[in-house]
Amino acid sequence: MTSNQPPLRLLIVEDQVDLAENLFEFLGEDRYILDFAADGLTALHLLATQSYDVIVLDLMLPGVNGYDICQRIRNDLQCQTPVILMTALSGLPDKEKGFDCGADDYLVKPFELRELQLRVEALHRRYAPQRPILSAGDIRFDPGTLEVELNGSKTALSGTPARLFELLVRAYPSFLSHEALSDALWGARHGGMEGNSLRTHIYTLRKSLQAGLGSGLVKTVHGRGYSLEVPAGTSAIKAPETP
């Protein structure tokens, strides 16, 4: 992948932590935005709240196996994101079952990490959706490139701050509560432990926007959450102030 291409959002569903760590290390966060789920139910929650370019799904998972998860991705979530199944099951009936469940590719363990990367990129080129540009007043956000534009100035976001910004743009002019943002980022069972982490990501997001666009764009709705704030002088009405 060349440097001028936007990062790919990958969900890796794998219960073997050492393999997941190898994948994270090999792919790297400069070229990919990576999420990890150690079981199928966690993966389904992430897919219900986040968007990804490719899903890498292990078949032999605790609880619900990869075949069932793949079917639920297609049938329950109506999600058409490309799925690569990876497994030690190499028989033709196993592969046939995987494709019948809705998988787009099937990779037998052990495999070269570079081969997985090539398959991920090939699937993305084949199935990449054209994501619409999101807008809030004069603010434009491209979920495909993670680029923000305001009055001719542009800056690119990455990782969790990019997800935060997309959530706030979609919610504009309403605010999102701390709990709603934490649920979207870390799941409904975050247990309130992500408060400091959320504030850190908000700080990072504001800092990036300030450096690239001259405005932090994110307003704290005290005691309630955060909202997107269109700078004064643009064509849109600001988000409502805290009551």
Side-chain angles (χ1 to χ4, degrees), residues 57-214:
L57 175 61
D58 185 34
L59 277 181
M60 307 305 290
L61 294 169
V64 186
N65 66 51
Y67 291 125
D68 291 337
I69 293 299
C70 193
Q71 284 186 318
R72 292 177 66 175
I73 289 171
R74 299 298 188 228
N75 299 332
D76 297 350
L77 297 180
Q78 294 293 302
C79 174
Q80 299 307 312
T81 300
V83 174
I84 299 177
L85 295 180
M86 56 181 184
T87 177
L89 301 176
S90 59
L92 183 58
D94 300 310
K95 296 178 181 179
E96 183 176 7
K97 184 177 180 180
F99 287 117
D100 286 345
C101 290
D104 301 279
D105 201 354
Y106 194 104
L107 187 57
V108 177
K109 298 177 180 177
F111 53 80
E112 295 288 339
L113 297 182
R114 177 58 176 160
E115 180 178 357
L116 174 62
Q117 182 182 34
L118 291 172
R119 289 171 181 258
V120 164
E121 293 176 4
L123 278 179
H124 174 64
R125 288 193 300 270
R126 194 177 310 148
Y127 296 106
Q130 295 298 315
R131 294 193 180 96
I133 303 296
L134 304 178
S135 63
D138 290 339
I139 300 168
R140 301 287 182 270
F141 178 67
D142 186 336
T145 63
L146 306 182
E147 190 172 70
V148 185
E149 180 177 2
L150 176 64
N151 298 330
S153 297
K154 295 182 180 181
T155 191
L157 303 175
S158 63
T160 299
R163 293 186 198 166
L164 274 171
F165 192 75
E166 180 172 346
L167 291 167
L168 291 171
V169 172
R170 290 184 183 277
Y172 179 84
S174 300
F175 76 92
L176 288 175
S177 68
H178 300 92
E179 183 176 4
L181 287 169
S182 295
D183 284 356
L185 294 171
W186 298 293
R189 290 178 291 179
H190 55 82
M193 299 297 292
E194 308 298 342
N196 290 332
S197 183
L198 177 61
R199 285 190 288 272
T200 298
H201 289 304
I202 289 288
Y203 171 79
T204 301
L205 172 59
R206 283 176 173 150
K207 186 176 180 181
S208 297
L209 293 169
Q210 184 69 45
L213 303 176

